[in-house]
Amino acid sequence: MLQFVAVGLAVHLVFFYSIFDIYFTSPLVHGMTPQRTPLSPPAKRLVLFVADGLRADVLYRLDENGSPRASYLRKVIEEKGSWGVSHTHVPTESRPGHVALIAGFYEDVSAVAKGWKDNPIEFDSVFNESKYTWSWGSPDILPMFAKGASKDHIYTFMYPAENEDFAAEDASKLDTWVFDEAKKFLISAKNNDTLLSQLLEEKIVFFLHLLGLDTNGHAHRPMSREYIENVKIVDAAIREFVSLIENFYENDEKTAYVFTSDHGMTDWGTHGAGHPSETMTPLVAWGAGVQQAQQVARQNFPDNLLQGMLHIDVLFFVYFQADVAPLMSSLIGVPLPLNSVGVLPLELLNNTDLFKAESMYSNALQILEQYKVDGKITLSKFFPFLFTSLIIMYI
Ligand SMILES: [Zn+2]
């Protein structure tokens, strides 16, 4: 009897410990060799727009008069881009959403438990791998990608945190601030030779973080006039910013654009859990290296949330949020973020088969690198006879 109790207790203790080991130990490893495609990339620069808290269906749905809410993005979808839904993981919060998009991995619970704003441990990102990244937006989001970056090449322009509160009356001001500042920045480069030469480099990123929608969604809910008006403001500002970029670079067709959001929002203005309204975010990509709109006969959409309301006959794709990171790396030709688990969405690339094959190969090597490093760590921590793997045998 005593033996039975002792064995039972031991088993329970092992299970109890395993919970902490699985959920409260970061799965991130360090020391991998960076991998990138050796062929020259299609884009010299990338513009990433993240509309914080934007639901896929609210963006894509037509209004009561049958006209699109985001007329510019709708035109992009119909004429020159690729579009779809990107599925996020739980918790549907800003920090893990941005980490998945820009660093390509889903934060583990240990990271979330350590707070929303600070890096629990260092990680690599598309921004870190870029030559330069300029970012505008909320002080809650931008610093996590600048902090710990290997050298000083990620620049952040943020409104003071207090603005997030007093912009509550009209939160779209947070978004117009971002576009205004980014515009001023580009205009100022014309009289600043140092900046101008940086802007003419390849492998650069512009990141516009738009918190207004999230704030309006919490305050007024995603079906409110304020939220939908904010969608229109963002859409018009993107149209203007794209034309500014195109003028600045004299329509060299070397700019790639990605528009998405970090998470969605429930009808009652919350997020964090796993309801489709929270996990389904829009993804629209266009410009250099991105597959152009492909006409198809009317299609069925995979989820009830989108069913029957899009009235759009352009091929639709479903992605996972972390796949956006390898997509962005591939477009501007920077190494894949070291900790990324994203799989390059090939159907989004407008490139040769050789380029796609090379990109896929470097993506596979980059994920294998993590497995190898993780394998070595595990072998060194535990009894080898408890841990065997065919791949580890080849290392
Ligand atoms: Zn929020």
Side-chain angles (χ1 to χ4, degrees):
M1 185 61 189
L2 201 63
Q3 269 175 339
F4 181 75
V5 171
V7 169
L9 192 66
V11 168
H12 279 84
L13 283 175
V14 168
F15 281 136
F16 188 66
Y17 168 78
S18 72
I19 288 172
F20 290 91
D21 190 50
I22 293 167
Y23 291 108
F24 291 91
T25 311
S26 172
L28 295 195
V29 288
H30 295 91
M32 289 79 72
T33 315
Q35 304 289 332
R36 58 175 284 244
T37 312
L39 303 171
S40 81
K44 287 185 176 171
R45 64 199 80 90
L46 169 87
V47 183
L48 170 66
F49 305 98
V50 179
D52 202 302
L54 175 60
R55 266 166 71 153
D57 62 317
V58 175
L59 177 75
Y60 294 143
R61 197 192 288 254
L62 299 174
D63 67 14
E64 56 284 357
N65 307 318
S67 19
R69 285 167 176 167
S71 56
Y72 177 70
L73 288 171
R74 171 83 176 198
K75 211 162 134 59
V76 165
I77 292 169
E78 285 177 351
E79 292 172 9
K80 56 180 175 185
S82 288
W83 75 298
V85 157
S86 143
H87 285 277
T88 72
H89 274 205
V90 173
T92 43
E93 294 289 350
S94 286
R95 186 200 146 89
H98 281 86
V99 167
L101 289 169
I102 297 161
F105 67 91
Y106 303 102
E107 279 198 309
D108 59 298
V109 180
S110 75
V112 173
K114 284 177 189 164
W116 295 107
K117 295 183 186 174
D118 213 7
N119 287 3
I121 60 167
E122 284 179 14
F123 57 84
D124 192 24
S125 68
V126 175
F127 296 173
N128 188 39
E129 297 290 354
S130 72
K131 177 89 183 166
Y132 300 109
T133 293
W134 290 275
S135 52
W136 293 266
S138 159
D140 293 344
I141 294 298
L142 304 191
M144 73 171 135
F145 296 102
K147 190 182 158 196
S150 51
K151 52 187 186 303
D152 186 19
H153 63 296
I154 301 178
Y155 304 102
T156 54
F157 303 91
M158 300 173 284
Y159 37 78
E162 308 87 73
N163 279 27
E164 289 177 18
D165 294 330
F166 65 64
E169 231 168 72
D170 180 8
S172 64
K173 285 202 178 107
L174 296 174
D175 300 344
T176 41
W177 185 95
V178 165
F179 285 105
D180 287 348
E181 291 298 313
K183 204 158 67 180
K184 275 191 232 159
F185 168 83
L186 274 187
I187 293 167
S188 75
K190 292 185 177 146
N191 304 315
N192 180 340
D193 289 344
T194 325
L195 181 57
L196 190 62
S197 68
Q198 287 181 324
L199 287 171
L200 295 175
E201 294 268 3
E202 298 181 7
K203 308 184 195 309
I204 62 170
V205 179
F206 301 95
F207 168 43
L208 283 75
H209 170 241
L210 310 164
L211 188 65
L213 279 159
D214 185 72
T215 316
N216 260 327
H218 288 307
H220 307 284
R221 301 184 183 184
M223 294 303 166
S224 64
R225 193 182 49 79
E226 288 84 355
Y227 188 87
I228 289 167
E229 195 52 40
N230 202 157
V231 171
K232 292 181 177 167
I233 289 170
V234 164
D235 181 68
I238 290 175
R239 181 202 302 263
E240 196 192 342
F241 190 69
V242 169
S243 100
L244 193 73
I245 288 271
E246 292 300 324
N247 284 337
F248 188 89
Y249 290 105
E250 296 169 347
N251 296 309
D252 68 352
E253 301 195 337
K254 289 288 178 191
T255 312
Y257 301 90
V258 173
F259 173 84
T260 186
S261 75
D262 53 347
H263 55 76
M265 197 170 277
T266 58
D267 285 348
W268 48 96
T270 62
H271 56 83
H275 187 267
S277 60
E278 294 161 274
T279 59
M280 288 171 68
T281 61
L283 180 65
V284 184
W286 69 102
V290 179
Q291 187 60 259
Q292 295 182 351
Q294 299 164 68
Q295 302 296 320
V296 284
R298 187 140 292 180
Q299 51 195 331
N300 285 325
F301 295 96
D303 196 285
N304 289 338
L305 200 70
L306 290 173
Q307 204 75 36
M309 62 187 184
L310 286 136
H311 310 294
I312 188 163
D313 300 336
V314 177
L315 199 56
F316 166 91
F317 297 108
V318 177
Y319 312 93
F320 291 102
Q321 195 169 32
D323 300 346
V324 179
L327 169 70
M328 297 194 295
S329 304
S330 155
L331 290 172
I332 53 168
V334 298
L336 295 135
L338 294 172
N339 307 107
S340 167
V341 294
V343 177
L344 183 67
L346 284 182
E347 67 281 3
L348 249 165
L349 303 186
N350 179 14
N351 217 314
T352 59
D353 286 346
L354 177 65
F355 184 87
K356 289 182 188 173
E358 285 282 1
S359 305
M360 222 158 63
Y361 181 59
S362 39
N363 192 185
L365 286 182
Q366 170 260 324
I367 291 173
L368 179 64
E369 276 286 323
Q370 295 179 71
Y371 184 79
K372 285 180 180 173
V373 172
D374 205 14
K376 278 186 187 157
I377 294 171
T378 312
L379 268 182
S380 67
K381 275 202 309 205
F382 298 99
F383 300 114
F385 66 88
L386 289 176
F387 182 77
T388 55
S389 153
L390 280 177
I391 295 178
I392 291 300
M393 285 159 68
Y394 288 105
I395 294 176

